[in-house]
Amino acid sequence: MDGIFAPTHRARTVCFAAVTFLTGFAALAVLPTLPTATADLHGVALFPLVAGCFVAASLLGGVLGGAWSDAAGARAPLAVGTVLTVATLLVSASSTSIWQLAAGRFLDGLAAGAVAVAINAAIGQSYPEHLQSRVLALMSGCWVIPSLVGPPLAGLVSELWSWRVVFYGLAVLTAVPSLLLVLVLRRQDGPPRDPGPAARPPLLVAVVVSLAAAVGQYGVSGRDARHLLAVVAAGALLAAFAPRLLPTGTWRAVRGLPATVLLRGLSSGTFFTLEAYVPLLLITERHVNPVVSGLAFTGAALAWAGASWVQGNLLHGVPRHRTVLIGTLVMAAAVACAVLGTLPGLPALTAAPAMPLAATGMGLLSPALTVLSLAHSPAGHEGRTSSAMQTNQNLGQITVLALASLALTAGASSLSGYAAAFTLLAAPLAALALLAPRTRIP
């Protein structure tokens, strides 16, 4: 039997699925509460910082997780990351200021970055290429139950009690399964791995890039000289140091792995901006109930899982770069919905379908890009390749969100600002469509 649940793969498949389930449940339940939490802590202007801190820390977490996975296998970063997730939920839950909430999100991003890279590296290390897309589809499927329960329940709890109860409740619910998972992973022993000189990550560079990304998110939250200085400083540091964490030629879209890494950043940046600003638009400008916003997150997670299953089972004969193009076209429809949702004459919920549509596009193209990156990766460097994908994914999220934030604050009104922010997303989508052929496997 040659499958992901064959005896040779069963134990690791179950462990990877458990990690994905736990991190997915925490992530999906937290996201709908962030607009409410930032408003309660009188920090709506700093919402880009709160949202971006998670992504900025993921840069550093991804570098650490990738090097750790290449050196010793994925077991340790997976175990440490799941335990750290519980601690970060407690930090966020007890926030007395917007800065503490941002710190909690930063720590959570550190854990999430390490876990995400470790899982992708482990898939590349443990499964043959023809099974990798199926494993990635299963990982997306592990988000289904969290997506059904997490966002609407979090919205309801936030409405009836407090957003803090959501964070505390998630910490309690995640603590025991995380400890059990650590015990299970400790039994999955493997041969020691020689890290070698190439596997040692440029930690100082990763720290600088991560901090610069956080400073940049702070910079776009205001329009005075101090914020402008933060944007300039962050941009200069990212331009100088970020390329050292990526394959040579990434930002020039050189064929093969560099182009694949670039497209991960463009697609994730588009999706992350929609995921951050569509709920904020619905709650703060269109005055939609938080429970409805939570249901939009649920629909998005289901759409991502369903589309991922389709690409792994029904579109496995389609060249991966064409699957990327199909996903891009679906995301273009999502952006159109978001723009229409800013028009006062249309119903308040017009923008809500943007989230599940964007998730459908990502469910198609994200696993395809992951498989393409592993196919382009030299043997033994899966961790470094996964780290590069994660790094540029986060850089793309930070960059696109920052540009959208600038467009939002420059708008003549709140709704016109949102319209400008969403319209700006047409640029990365056009680049995705044009550059997809450069990712094909020879």
Side-chain angles (χ1 to χ4, degrees):
M1 178 182 177
D2 184 19
I4 60 176
F5 286 104
T8 54
H9 301 304
R10 184 182 300 123
R12 62 175 65 96
T13 299
V14 171
C15 285
F16 298 160
V19 172
T20 303
F21 179 87
L22 290 173
T23 54
F25 194 88
L28 287 170
V30 163
L31 285 175
T33 69
L34 289 182
T36 303
T38 54
D40 185 53
L41 294 171
H42 308 291
V44 171
L46 290 173
F47 181 80
L49 174 66
V50 175
C53 267
F54 179 92
V55 182
S58 296
L59 289 166
L60 179 57
V63 172
L64 292 171
W68 202 349
S69 297
D70 279 347
R75 183 179 69 252
L78 289 179
V80 172
T82 54
V83 173
L84 183 58
T85 298
V86 176
T88 62
L89 289 169
L90 295 175
V91 172
S92 297
S94 59
S95 295
T96 57
S97 70
I98 193 67
W99 297 104
Q100 183 177 342
L101 180 62
R105 297 300 292 158
F106 188 91
L107 292 173
D108 197 16
L110 190 67
V115 168
V117 167
I119 288 179
N120 283 341
I123 290 172
Q125 293 167 357
S126 306
Y127 299 88
E129 183 179 339
H130 72 279
L131 292 180
Q132 289 172 6
S133 62
R134 297 183 187 179
V135 181
L136 291 167
L138 174 63
M139 297 303 106
S140 296
C142 290
W143 288 64
V144 171
I145 294 178
S147 69
L148 289 172
V149 178
L153 182 59
L156 182 61
V157 171
S158 180
E159 179 77 9
L160 296 179
W161 289 287
S162 168
W163 59 269
R164 298 181 189 275
V165 177
V166 176
F167 282 92
Y168 279 124
L170 284 170
V172 172
L173 290 174
T174 310
V176 174
S178 294
L179 293 176
L180 292 175
L181 184 61
V182 171
L183 295 176
V184 171
L185 290 173
R186 287 181 63 184
R187 298 191 183 100
Q188 302 299 313
D189 295 324
R193 298 169 63 92
D194 179 13
R200 298 189 182 99
L203 291 182
L204 181 59
V205 173
V207 169
V208 171
V209 170
S210 183
L211 291 177
V215 170
Q217 293 307 305
Y218 167 75
V220 299
S221 64
R223 303 174 65 177
D224 57 23
R226 181 179 59 190
H227 289 84
L228 177 61
L229 181 61
V231 170
V232 173
L237 288 172
L238 289 175
F241 289 94
R244 303 184 191 184
L245 300 176
L246 304 174
T248 302
T250 293
W251 290 353
R252 291 183 286 110
V254 173
R255 291 184 182 274
L257 183 60
T260 306
V261 171
L262 175 64
L263 295 199
R264 171 58 67 90
L266 294 174
S267 59
S268 295
T270 303
F271 178 77
F272 183 74
T273 301
L274 288 172
E275 186 181 51
Y277 277 146
V278 168
L280 196 65
L281 167 70
L282 293 175
I283 292 174
T284 62
E285 299 297 330
R286 306 307 301 267
H287 308 295
V288 172
N289 191 291
V291 176
V292 177
S293 178
L295 290 173
F297 276 97
T298 296
L302 288 171
W304 188 312
S308 183
W309 182 89
V310 168
Q311 68 81 34
N313 292 273
L314 301 183
L315 299 180
H316 55 82
V318 178
R320 303 286 179 192
H321 67 281
R322 292 184 182 174
T323 304
V324 172
L325 180 58
I326 295 171
T328 300
L329 295 176
V330 176
M331 291 186 71
V335 170
C337 284
V339 173
L340 291 174
T342 64
L343 301 179
L346 294 178
L349 290 176
T350 302
M355 293 179 64
L357 272 174
T360 299
M362 287 296 290
L364 292 171
L365 67 83
S366 183
L369 286 174
T370 300
V371 174
L372 285 167
S373 70
L374 294 172
H376 288 302
S377 175
H381 293 274
E382 295 86 357
R384 191 197 307 182
T385 296
S386 296
S387 175
M389 292 286 283
Q390 181 78 12
T391 296
N392 208 51
Q393 169 182 309
N394 294 339
L395 285 173
Q397 291 174 356
I398 290 166
T399 302
V400 177
L401 180 65
L403 293 174
S405 299
L406 290 173
L408 177 60
T409 57
S413 66
S414 294
L415 287 178
S416 66
Y418 278 106
F422 293 139
T423 301
L424 179 143
L425 299 179
L429 289 177
L432 266 167
L434 291 173
L435 297 176
R438 292 176 175 247
T439 67
R440 72 170 69 190
I441 302 173

